[in-house]
Structure formats: C-alpha cells, structure tokens
Amino acid sequence: MYTLRFSPDSASLIVRLILEELALPYEARQIDRAAGELSSPEYRALHPLGKIPAMETPNGPMFESAAILLYLSDRHPGLAPAPDAQDRAAFLKWFFFTSTNIHTTLMDIYYPERVAGDAAAGSVVTHASAKMKTLLAAINQAAEDNPNWLSFEQPSLLGYYIAVLMRWLGQNDPEATGYIKASDYPALHKVLAMLEMRPASLAVAAAEGLGKTIFTMPS
Amino acid sequence: MYVLHYAPDNASLIIRLVLEEMGLPYRTALVDRRIRAQDSAEYRAVNPTGLIPALQSSEETLFETAAILLWLSDKHGQMAPTIGDEHRGNFLKWLFFTANTLHADARLLFYPEQYAGSPDDHVAFRGKTEVRISKHLRLLNDIAASAPPYLNKERPSVLSIYICCLIRWINLYPVDRKGWLPLHDYPALFEISKGLQDRPATHRVADAEGLGPTIFTEPHYANPPEGSAL
Ligand SMILES: N[C@@H](CCC(=O)N[C@@H](CS)C(=O)NCC(=O)O)C(=O)O
Ligand SMILES: N[C@@H](CCC(=O)N[C@@H](CS)C(=O)NCC(=O)O)C(=O)O
C-alpha cells in the first residue's frame, strides 16, 4: 500500500498517473499548502526539502518524482524495460534526460527568480525557453521510432512523465516565450493523445478536476 | 569493451572512476574541447545534446551521467543497492536529487552564460546558486553521517563518487571563486572524499587526466596529457 501526498496538478500528478495505470492500491492524501503543511515537521520527515510529491512506501518515505517512478516500475513491471532488457539503456538515458534537463528547464521557465533573482528573470526565461525547444526536439526524434518505452500505442513511464511536463508548458500563455504547443512535436503529440484517453488519465483528471484533453490541449 | 567519450576533468571523470573501480575494460575517446568537438556532427551523433560524457557499449550509446551510473551498477551488480534491496528506493531518490538538483545547480556556476544573458546577471546567479548548493550539501552530509550502504566512507559507491566529483568542481569553478566552499563544513562528505582519493582506482584516473594526488580534498586544475578541461 502506498500513500501519495499530493496537490492537484503539481508534480504528484506524474506519480498518481502511474499508480493508476499500474492499478496499484494507494491512498491519495491532499497536502494543505495554505496551512503551511509543506513546512510542517511531519511533512519534512517525509521530504526534507518540503516539496511535492512525497510517497510513503513499505521501504519508507520516497521523494523526487522520477525516483518514485523508477522505484514503482522496478517493483511492478510493465511500464518500462526491465533491468536486464536490451533497451533498458536507451530508456534510462532518456528518462534521466527528462528529469535533469526538461524538468529542470521547465522549473527555470516558471520560477526564473529562484535562479538569479528578479532582475535576471526575463533573461533566464528567454534562455530556458530556447533550450526547451532543443530538448523537446531531441526527445521527439527519439520517439519517432516508436520505442516501447515511449510508445504511441501503449502506456509507458516515460510517456506519462513527458506528457505531464508538456501539459504544464501548454498551460503557459500562448503569447509567452515559454509556451509550447504539443502539436509542434508530432511524435510526442501521438504519445500524449493516446495517453490522455487512458482510463488512468480520465480517472486522475476527474479526481483532480483537470478537464478533458489534459495533455494535448490542457486548460 | 566500453568506449568512454571524455574530456579531462569533465563529468566523464565520474564515469571513469566508476569503470576503474569496477575493474571493467574500457578505452577513452577524447572530445577535444579546444576545438569545441562537443559541437561537431560526429559527437552530436553520439550525444544529440553535445554534453560530455557518453558511454558506448556493445548494445547502446548512453549519455546522462546518472543514467550511466545506474545502468553500470545494475548491469555489473556493483557499487549501488540492487533492485529488491531495502535501500534501493533511498538510493534512487538521492541519485536523482544529485543529478537534477545538485548537478543542475553546479552547472549554473560553471556555465552562467548558458542560463542568462549579461555578465551583470551572472553575479546575481552566483550568490543565489552558492546558497542553494550549500543547502543541498548540508542535506547530503546529513545522509552521509548516517552511513547508508550507498553513501559511506568504508565502501565506494556510484553516488559517493558522483557527489565528490561535483564538490571538486564546485570548488574550482568559476576560476575567480576557487576554493569558496568550506569543505570542513561537510565532515561526513569530507571523510568519504578522503577515503576515495586514496584508492588505487582514483590514483590511476588522476594520473591519466593530470589531476594530482589530492583530487578531492585539495583540488588543483587539471594538467592533462591530452585535451583540455575547458
Ligand atoms: N525534482 C522534484 C521537483 C518537485 C517540485 O518542485 N515540486 C513543486 C510542485 S510541482 C513544489 O513542491 N513546490 C513547492 C515549493 O517549492 O514550495 C521532483 O521531481 O519531485
Ligand atoms: N546532465 C549532463 C551534464 C553533463 C555536463 O554538464 N557536461 C559538461 C562537461 S562537465 C559539458 O559537456 N559541457 C560542454 C558544453 O556545455 O558545451 C550529464 O549529467 O551528463
């Protein structure tokens, strides 16, 4: 049994989609951000940085969304190549690429002042937005071969991770530098369109009030 | 036989130390940064992001330091908790934290121009980034103080090598801030780095890349027999 500490439409969404897709029993417990729960000693015991998500597991508390995904997928196979599979290497490099490059660059776009203060925020967004397009083009190219770890036809760990990140980029103001239109990345768009129709996505979208077409045309 | 695409004292050092420590056969292929070979069509075919390192195995070309570390340790059953081990989850979270938070922030110190425009901005960067990095290291030092199997001074791990190398570069770059990080503020990590530094595997790599004898506790800029660090 897992207990996911979540806040709607935050990084916990990535983990929740995977829990649903793997049909694992879990409890979703909403974090009361307004009441400062992220800074509470109880939450800090789960996650010393006070970020979302954290998840309680039989092996103790987990955090870092990508680490949680890999932990889950190694315990409950089906959404990523097994450790001894031939394509494990290809999967791992793009999975870490997504975590260390795409996810971090997305944070720079949304919270540029954390990087270098208010004065440099505009410049940080400009750099990060240009970089994001290069990063997405690279992974879109990897997706063109329809590998089973980022497939058009079946759900995958990496597919969901990218889909959520692209959801957030698509929520940006279309006039903003950091706005990304999923259809500009055709291979990724196919992955997103398939994933948003999955029962797992529909269930999570309903639970968190995210609306329809949560990946290709997020509201 | 692995092929490690490397430049002296670049992130490839992390992988090289692990390959030596695991006793795996490999050869190196220099990415010559003096002619920006990382931007060449040949290297972009190996790694489309143009970042160093990349590791070629018979099956696949890997990139992303942490992906290579995890793949090597799973494949060879060494230097990290295996799947099913009770420490696996904890190891994974600190590996990802190191890659997407500590390493990502360290890159801001090394390559400010890739993140913001004017040199004025770089100063603001530096201040904020140094504060964040100190915080990350305190957190990792607390973990190291409890000596889990994946981060202790008795046995080298992929994570301890990763963190010690990052601390080395954080202390060396940018050049005008050399030595800014008080290593003794992180005693558990310092102990680990002392142990690592004295291992035969580390000496072999340090010799090959011209890093000197105290690569972690008293780092000096590389004086490599081939290629260049910058
Ligand atoms: N690398 C972390 C990032 C998590 C993260 O930044 N979460 C955000 C929400 S999407 C958060 O907790 N923000 C609250 C804060 O920073 O106070 C992960 O993937 O888990
Ligand atoms: N996230 C990458 C970062 C690697 C990285 O920053 N490599 C640097 C050398 S230490 C690089 O290739 N710099 C060359 C450049 O930016 O042109 C990884 O972990 O492999």
Side-chain angles (χ1 to χ4, degrees), chain B residues 138-190:
Chain B
R138 268 201 300 282
L139 194 53
L140 288 170
N141 187 69
D142 288 347
I143 301 302
S146 69
Y150 51 86
L151 190 59
N152 65 63
K153 63 179 184 195
E154 310 302 334
R155 269 192 318 154
S157 72
V158 297
L159 186 61
S160 57
I161 288 179
Y162 193 2
I163 293 169
C164 289
C165 285
L166 289 175
I167 294 176
R168 166 181 169 83
W169 300 315
I170 288 166
N171 245 318
L172 288 177
Y173 299 104
V175 172
D176 58 350
R177 291 285 292 155
K178 181 172 191 274
W180 71 272
L181 187 77
L183 294 176
H184 293 282
D185 286 0
Y186 312 96
L189 295 176
F190 190 72

Side-chain angles (χ1 to χ4, degrees), chain B residues 64-86:
Chain B
E64 283 298 321
T65 304
I68 301 173
L69 292 177
L70 186 60
W71 185 81
L72 281 174
S73 64
D74 281 345
K75 173 136 185 132
H76 300 283
Q78 291 190 58
M79 296 180 74
T82 52
I83 290 174
D85 186 304
E86 56 170 330

Side-chain angles (χ1 to χ4, degrees), chain A residues 6-13 16 30-31 33 168 207-210:
Chain A
F6 84 104
S7 179
D9 212 6
S10 78
S12 50
L13 175 60
R16 192 168 189 178
Q30 186 159 350
I31 296 163
R33 292 176 80 150
W168 295 332
E208 300 196 3
L210 308 181

Side-chain angles (χ1 to χ4, degrees), chain A residues 12-196:
Chain A
S12 50
L13 175 60
I14 308 165
V15 178
R16 192 168 189 178
L17 287 161
I18 297 301
L19 288 165
E20 284 286 339
E21 188 60 70
L22 289 168
L24 297 172
Y26 72 97
E27 184 196 338
R29 207 186 295 172
Q30 186 159 350
I31 296 163
D32 191 345
R33 292 176 80 150
E37 189 179 339
L38 289 178
S39 320
S40 70
E42 191 263 344
Y43 194 79
R44 292 286 165 138
L46 298 177
H47 194 323
L49 296 158
K51 301 243 178 222
I52 306 164
M55 190 173 85
E56 291 157 76
T57 81
N59 303 108
M62 283 289 295
F63 57 86
E64 281 297 333
S65 42
I68 301 176
L69 294 193
L70 206 52
Y71 167 85
L72 283 173
S73 113
D74 286 344
R75 279 172 69 99
H76 311 280
L79 294 179
D84 54 357
Q86 171 91 22
D87 51 0
R88 175 82 167 184
F91 157 69
L92 279 184
K93 77 179 172 191
W94 289 109
F95 189 67
F96 274 92
F97 174 86
T98 302
S99 171
T100 64
N101 289 296
I102 303 182
H103 197 162
T104 50
T105 303
L106 183 141
M107 300 300 275
D108 292 349
I109 292 174
Y110 277 97
Y111 305 101
E113 70 290 346
R114 289 193 194 166
V115 178
D118 293 333
S123 166
V124 169
V125 172
T126 309
H127 279 74
S129 303
K131 182 171 176 193
M132 182 60 84
K133 293 185 173 124
T134 318
L135 298 171
L136 290 175
I139 197 158
N140 183 70
Q141 197 178 352
E144 278 168 5
D145 300 332
N146 196 18
N148 66 35
W149 39 267
L150 187 56
S151 160
F152 311 149
E153 283 117 28
Q154 65 202 31
S156 62
L157 209 64
L158 184 55
Y160 273 118
Y161 192 2
I162 304 257
V164 172
L165 298 178
M166 291 192 73
R167 164 181 171 79
W168 295 332
L169 292 165
Q171 282 171 337
N172 220 326
D173 173 357
E175 302 300 318
T177 3
Y179 172 69
I180 294 285
K181 197 157 81 203
S183 55
D184 287 346
Y185 303 89
L188 297 178
H189 188 263
K190 279 196 230 176
V191 175
L192 270 51
M194 177 272 298
L195 286 178
E196 70 192 0

